[in-house]
Amino acid sequence: EAQVTQNPRYLITVTGKKLTVTCSQNMNHEYMSWYRQDPGLGLRQIYYSMNVEVTDKGDVPEGYKVSRKEKRNFPLILESPSPNQTSLYFCASTLPGGGSQETQYFGPGTRLLVL
Amino acid sequence: KQEVTQIPAALSVPEGENLVLNCSFTDSAIYNLQWFRQDPGKGLTSLLLIQSSQREQTSGRLNASLDKSSGRSTLYIAASQPGDSATYLCAVRRGSSNTGKLIFGQGTTLQVKP
């Protein structure tokens, strides 16, 4: 089954404690991205990756890092989490190339609370 | 700057009604437009994708239209059911390829009452 998986699904942490949210897709997609969703602000892109070792900032990259060492994985790293990073995070992937293959697939979300 | 607006923000209808959700965008230079469904606390599920050269797409009881020149898209849901209750998000892909940024609207939260 084609899917994007994220772990953990729920996380409570404290300010300053480094954490990583993993994202993996099994569709051989080149393009992956991270979003955060906040009430009243909608979905905003944090980082994206066009392919292995190619990453770039989205709209709200401050306080986040990413890496793309393999095509299937795109972890999101919070080196020193702060309460304003409390949010619902989504990983997504898509296959550039045309037509119906370009559907954007989303992971189930990771709900993060930073105390 | 591309902005995507969805009206109404919330909608409540009795079961069986046909309904239309609206999405408007400010910049017509889009690559494609997607409609998503989001259930509470869950991820987004793609419903329909319309390429910029297309006018509409259909899937079952859903029909999405696109008028790029006027910056509008609609999602038509026929014979609504309680299971259709969810938040519906419209998103446009900027630029000339599928690697352009995806800009989301705020969503319309739909409640279908039995």
Side-chain angles (χ1 to χ4, degrees):
Chain A
E1 179 191 353
Q3 60 181 356
V4 179
T5 57
Q6 294 178 229
N7 281 293
R9 293 289 315 280
Y10 304 92
L11 180 60
I12 301 174
T13 190
V14 295
T15 298
K17 186 176 180 182
K18 180 179 178 180
L19 67 91
T20 298
V21 184
T22 64
C23 171
S24 183
Q25 49 92 5
N26 63 0
M27 297 167 279
N28 202 36
H29 285 171
E30 295 165 358
Y31 187 84
M32 298 183 73
S33 54
W34 276 101
Y35 295 85
R36 60 179 287 174
Q37 186 176 35
D38 301 288
L41 297 175
L43 276 140
R44 295 177 292 168
Q45 191 181 56
I46 304 171
Y47 266 95
Y48 64 95
S49 170
M50 305 265 283
N51 213 325
V52 174
E53 301 291 3
V54 181
T55 63
D56 209 346
K57 296 176 181 179
D59 293 319
V60 288
E62 296 78 18
Y64 304 95
K65 284 174 57 177
V66 292
S67 70
R68 189 90 182 274
K69 292 183 169 50
E70 309 165 275
K71 199 177 213 181
R72 65 182 291 125
N73 296 323
F74 189 45
L76 179 69
I77 303 155
L78 285 72
E79 294 270 4
S80 183
S82 62
N84 65 11
Q85 292 178 297
T86 292
S87 187
L88 180 57
Y89 291 87
F90 290 103
C91 180
S93 74
T94 191
L95 179 67
S100 61
Q101 300 295 320
E102 292 179 337
T103 298
Q104 184 99 356
Y105 290 85
F106 280 81
T110 294
R111 190 168 290 279
L112 172 65
L113 172 60
V114 183
L115 301 173
Chain B
K1 179 187 174 187
Q2 179 71 275
E3 292 182 0
V4 181
T5 304
Q6 291 186 247
I7 295 172
L11 182 62
S12 181
V13 300
E15 182 177 5
E17 270 204 10
N18 303 323
L19 57 101
V20 175
L21 307 181
N22 296 295
C23 171
S24 62
F25 46 96
T26 54
D27 186 348
S28 62
I30 65 169
Y31 184 70
N32 60 34
L33 182 147
Q34 273 189 260
W35 282 94
F36 294 90
R37 169 187 172 134
Q38 185 176 25
D39 293 285
K42 301 262 179 91
L44 281 71
T45 301
S46 180
L47 297 172
L48 291 162
L49 181 149
I50 310 177
Q51 299 290 355
S52 63
S53 58
Q54 297 175 326
R55 298 284 291 182
E56 67 177 351
Q57 285 286 333
T58 298
S59 176
R61 294 183 293 108
L62 306 179
N63 176 277
S65 69
L66 174 63
D67 185 341
K68 209 170 72 157
S69 60
S70 68
R72 293 181 182 180
S73 176
T74 61
L75 179 66
Y76 175 82
I77 303 177
S80 58
Q81 304 170 357
D84 294 330
S85 298
T87 295
Y88 291 81
L89 293 158
C90 162
V92 300
R93 178 82 71 181
R94 271 187 352 197
S96 57
S97 76
N98 203 43
T99 57
K101 188 178 293 185
L102 202 59
I103 310 294
F104 285 85
Q106 296 275 343
T108 294
T109 298
L110 172 66
Q111 182 184 34
V112 181
K113 297 179 179 177

